[in-house]
Short mmCIF file of all heavy atoms in Angstrom, two decimals:
data_model
loop_
_atom_site.label_atom_id
_atom_site.label_comp_id
_atom_site.label_asym_id
_atom_site.label_seq_id
_atom_site.Cartn_x
_atom_site.Cartn_y
_atom_site.Cartn_z
N VAL A 163 0.86 30.36 7.84
CA VAL A 163 2.31 30.51 7.97
C VAL A 163 2.96 30.87 6.64
O VAL A 163 3.98 31.56 6.62
CB VAL A 163 2.98 29.26 8.58
CG1 VAL A 163 2.43 28.97 9.94
CG2 VAL A 163 2.86 28.06 7.66
N GLY A 164 2.37 30.44 5.53
CA GLY A 164 2.93 30.81 4.23
C GLY A 164 2.76 32.29 3.96
O GLY A 164 3.53 32.91 3.22
N PHE A 165 1.75 32.89 4.58
CA PHE A 165 1.47 34.31 4.37
C PHE A 165 2.22 35.16 5.39
O PHE A 165 2.83 36.17 5.05
CB PHE A 165 -0.05 34.53 4.48
CG PHE A 165 -0.47 35.97 4.42
CD1 PHE A 165 -0.18 36.75 3.31
CD2 PHE A 165 -1.16 36.53 5.48
CE1 PHE A 165 -0.58 38.07 3.25
CE2 PHE A 165 -1.55 37.86 5.43
CZ PHE A 165 -1.25 38.63 4.31
N VAL A 166 2.20 34.74 6.66
CA VAL A 166 2.81 35.54 7.72
C VAL A 166 4.33 35.39 7.74
O VAL A 166 5.05 36.33 8.04
CB VAL A 166 2.21 35.15 9.10
CG1 VAL A 166 2.82 35.96 10.20
CG2 VAL A 166 0.71 35.34 9.07
N ARG A 167 4.83 34.18 7.41
CA ARG A 167 6.26 33.85 7.47
C ARG A 167 6.83 34.04 8.89
O ARG A 167 6.14 33.79 9.85
CB ARG A 167 7.09 34.67 6.47
CG ARG A 167 6.55 34.74 5.07
CD ARG A 167 6.63 33.44 4.31
NE ARG A 167 7.88 32.71 4.41
CZ ARG A 167 8.80 32.68 3.47
NH1 ARG A 167 8.64 33.39 2.37
NH2 ARG A 167 9.88 31.95 3.62
N LYS A 168 8.08 34.49 8.96
CA LYS A 168 8.76 34.78 10.23
C LYS A 168 8.78 33.60 11.20
O LYS A 168 8.80 32.45 10.78
CB LYS A 168 8.13 36.01 10.91
CG LYS A 168 8.36 37.25 10.07
CD LYS A 168 7.85 38.49 10.78
CE LYS A 168 7.93 39.67 9.82
NZ LYS A 168 6.97 40.69 10.11
N LYS A 169 8.75 33.91 12.50
CA LYS A 169 8.93 32.88 13.53
C LYS A 169 7.82 31.86 13.53
O LYS A 169 8.04 30.66 13.71
CB LYS A 169 9.02 33.55 14.91
CG LYS A 169 10.43 33.85 15.33
CD LYS A 169 10.66 33.63 16.82
CE LYS A 169 12.09 33.91 17.20
NZ LYS A 169 12.30 35.28 17.69
N THR A 170 6.57 32.34 13.32
CA THR A 170 5.44 31.42 13.32
C THR A 170 5.70 30.28 12.35
O THR A 170 5.48 29.11 12.65
CB THR A 170 4.16 32.16 12.86
OG1 THR A 170 4.28 33.53 13.18
CG2 THR A 170 2.94 31.55 13.47
N GLU A 171 6.18 30.66 11.16
CA GLU A 171 6.43 29.66 10.14
C GLU A 171 7.49 28.66 10.59
O GLU A 171 7.31 27.45 10.48
CB GLU A 171 6.87 30.33 8.84
CG GLU A 171 6.94 29.35 7.69
CD GLU A 171 7.57 29.97 6.46
OE1 GLU A 171 8.37 30.91 6.60
OE2 GLU A 171 7.29 29.47 5.37
N THR A 172 8.58 29.19 11.14
CA THR A 172 9.68 28.32 11.57
C THR A 172 9.18 27.29 12.59
O THR A 172 9.45 26.10 12.46
CB THR A 172 10.79 29.16 12.22
OG1 THR A 172 10.96 30.35 11.45
CG2 THR A 172 12.08 28.40 12.27
N ILE A 173 8.41 27.78 13.57
CA ILE A 173 7.95 26.89 14.63
C ILE A 173 6.99 25.84 14.08
O ILE A 173 7.16 24.63 14.27
CB ILE A 173 7.28 27.68 15.77
CG1 ILE A 173 8.33 28.59 16.43
CG2 ILE A 173 6.67 26.75 16.79
CD1 ILE A 173 7.75 29.58 17.39
N VAL A 174 5.98 26.32 13.36
CA VAL A 174 4.97 25.39 12.86
C VAL A 174 5.61 24.34 11.94
O VAL A 174 5.34 23.14 12.06
CB VAL A 174 3.84 26.15 12.11
CG1 VAL A 174 2.94 25.17 11.38
CG2 VAL A 174 3.03 26.96 13.10
N MET A 175 6.50 24.78 11.05
CA MET A 175 7.08 23.83 10.11
C MET A 175 8.02 22.85 10.82
O MET A 175 8.15 21.70 10.40
CB MET A 175 7.80 24.54 8.97
CG MET A 175 6.88 25.31 8.03
SD MET A 175 5.26 24.56 7.73
CE MET A 175 5.69 23.27 6.58
N ALA A 176 8.64 23.29 11.91
CA ALA A 176 9.49 22.37 12.67
C ALA A 176 8.64 21.25 13.26
O ALA A 176 8.99 20.07 13.17
CB ALA A 176 10.23 23.12 13.77
N VAL A 177 7.48 21.65 13.84
CA VAL A 177 6.58 20.64 14.40
C VAL A 177 6.10 19.69 13.29
O VAL A 177 6.09 18.46 13.44
CB VAL A 177 5.38 21.31 15.09
CG1 VAL A 177 4.38 20.25 15.55
CG2 VAL A 177 5.84 22.13 16.27
N VAL A 178 5.74 20.28 12.15
CA VAL A 178 5.27 19.49 11.02
C VAL A 178 6.33 18.46 10.60
O VAL A 178 6.04 17.29 10.39
CB VAL A 178 4.91 20.41 9.84
CG1 VAL A 178 4.86 19.64 8.53
CG2 VAL A 178 3.57 21.08 10.09
N ASP A 179 7.58 18.92 10.53
CA ASP A 179 8.66 18.01 10.12
C ASP A 179 8.82 16.86 11.10
O ASP A 179 9.05 15.72 10.70
CB ASP A 179 9.98 18.78 10.01
CG ASP A 179 10.05 19.55 8.70
OD1 ASP A 179 9.22 19.26 7.82
OD2 ASP A 179 10.91 20.44 8.58
N VAL A 180 8.70 17.19 12.40
CA VAL A 180 8.85 16.14 13.41
C VAL A 180 7.75 15.10 13.25
O VAL A 180 8.00 13.89 13.23
CB VAL A 180 8.82 16.73 14.83
CG1 VAL A 180 8.67 15.63 15.85
CG2 VAL A 180 10.10 17.52 15.09
N VAL A 181 6.50 15.56 13.09
CA VAL A 181 5.40 14.60 12.98
C VAL A 181 5.53 13.79 11.69
O VAL A 181 5.28 12.58 11.67
CB VAL A 181 4.03 15.31 13.05
CG1 VAL A 181 2.91 14.29 12.98
CG2 VAL A 181 3.92 16.13 14.31
N LEU A 182 5.97 14.44 10.62
CA LEU A 182 6.13 13.72 9.35
C LEU A 182 7.23 12.69 9.43
O LEU A 182 7.28 11.76 8.62
CB LEU A 182 6.42 14.70 8.21
CG LEU A 182 5.20 15.39 7.61
CD1 LEU A 182 5.62 16.30 6.49
CD2 LEU A 182 4.21 14.37 7.09
N ALA A 183 8.13 12.84 10.39
CA ALA A 183 9.23 11.90 10.50
C ALA A 183 8.79 10.58 11.09
O ALA A 183 9.51 9.60 11.02
CB ALA A 183 10.35 12.50 11.36
N PHE A 184 7.58 10.54 11.68
CA PHE A 184 7.06 9.29 12.22
C PHE A 184 6.62 8.36 11.10
O PHE A 184 6.04 8.81 10.14
CB PHE A 184 5.82 9.56 13.08
CG PHE A 184 6.12 9.97 14.47
CD1 PHE A 184 6.37 11.29 14.75
CD2 PHE A 184 6.15 9.05 15.48
CE1 PHE A 184 6.64 11.70 16.04
CE2 PHE A 184 6.41 9.44 16.77
CZ PHE A 184 6.67 10.76 17.05
N PRO A 185 6.88 7.06 11.25
CA PRO A 185 6.23 6.13 10.34
C PRO A 185 4.75 6.04 10.71
O PRO A 185 4.41 5.50 11.77
CB PRO A 185 6.95 4.81 10.58
CG PRO A 185 7.63 4.95 11.87
CD PRO A 185 7.73 6.40 12.23
N ALA A 186 3.88 6.60 9.87
CA ALA A 186 2.49 6.81 10.27
C ALA A 186 1.75 5.52 10.60
O ALA A 186 1.01 5.47 11.59
CB ALA A 186 1.76 7.57 9.16
N LEU A 187 1.97 4.48 9.81
CA LEU A 187 1.19 3.27 10.03
C LEU A 187 1.53 2.63 11.38
O LEU A 187 0.66 2.17 12.10
CB LEU A 187 1.43 2.26 8.91
CG LEU A 187 0.55 1.01 9.02
CD1 LEU A 187 -0.89 1.31 8.67
CD2 LEU A 187 1.06 -0.13 8.18
N ILE A 188 2.81 2.65 11.72
CA ILE A 188 3.24 2.06 12.99
C ILE A 188 2.65 2.84 14.15
O ILE A 188 2.12 2.27 15.11
CB ILE A 188 4.79 2.07 13.08
CG1 ILE A 188 5.38 1.12 12.05
CG2 ILE A 188 5.26 1.69 14.46
CD1 ILE A 188 5.00 -0.31 12.28
N LEU A 189 2.69 4.16 14.04
CA LEU A 189 2.11 5.01 15.08
C LEU A 189 0.62 4.72 15.24
O LEU A 189 0.10 4.55 16.34
CB LEU A 189 2.33 6.47 14.71
CG LEU A 189 1.99 7.48 15.78
CD1 LEU A 189 2.92 7.33 16.95
CD2 LEU A 189 2.09 8.89 15.23
N LEU A 190 -0.05 4.63 14.10
CA LEU A 190 -1.48 4.36 14.09
C LEU A 190 -1.78 3.01 14.73
O LEU A 190 -2.67 2.88 15.57
CB LEU A 190 -1.98 4.39 12.65
CG LEU A 190 -3.47 4.39 12.43
CD1 LEU A 190 -4.07 5.66 12.96
CD2 LEU A 190 -3.78 4.25 10.96
N LEU A 191 -1.00 2.00 14.34
CA LEU A 191 -1.18 0.65 14.90
C LEU A 191 -1.03 0.69 16.41
O LEU A 191 -1.86 0.15 17.15
CB LEU A 191 -0.13 -0.30 14.33
CG LEU A 191 -0.40 -0.96 13.01
CD1 LEU A 191 0.77 -1.85 12.63
CD2 LEU A 191 -1.66 -1.79 13.10
N ALA A 192 0.05 1.35 16.87
CA ALA A 192 0.31 1.40 18.29
C ALA A 192 -0.83 2.10 19.02
O ALA A 192 -1.36 1.60 20.03
CB ALA A 192 1.63 2.09 18.57
N LEU A 193 -1.25 3.25 18.50
CA LEU A 193 -2.32 4.02 19.14
C LEU A 193 -3.61 3.21 19.21
O LEU A 193 -4.19 3.04 20.27
CB LEU A 193 -2.59 5.31 18.34
CG LEU A 193 -1.66 6.47 18.60
CD1 LEU A 193 -2.01 7.62 17.66
CD2 LEU A 193 -1.79 6.93 20.04
N VAL A 194 -4.02 2.70 18.05
CA VAL A 194 -5.30 2.00 17.98
C VAL A 194 -5.29 0.75 18.84
O VAL A 194 -6.26 0.42 19.51
CB VAL A 194 -5.63 1.66 16.51
CG1 VAL A 194 -6.83 0.76 16.42
CG2 VAL A 194 -5.88 2.93 15.74
N SER A 195 -4.13 0.06 18.89
CA SER A 195 -4.11 -1.20 19.63
C SER A 195 -3.99 -0.97 21.13
O SER A 195 -4.68 -1.61 21.91
CB SER A 195 -2.96 -2.06 19.15
OG SER A 195 -1.74 -1.40 19.39
#
Side-chain angles (χ1 to χ4, degrees):
Chain A
V163 300
F165 174 60
V166 180
R167 312 291 315 258
K168 294 185 188 154
K169 267 218 179 95
T170 333
E171 188 189 26
T172 319
I173 296 170
V174 170
M175 293 325 283
V177 175
V178 162
D179 281 346
V180 168
V181 182
L182 278 181
F184 277 85
L187 185 73
I188 292 297
L189 189 66
L190 191 66
L191 275 180
L193 279 176
V194 171
S195 62

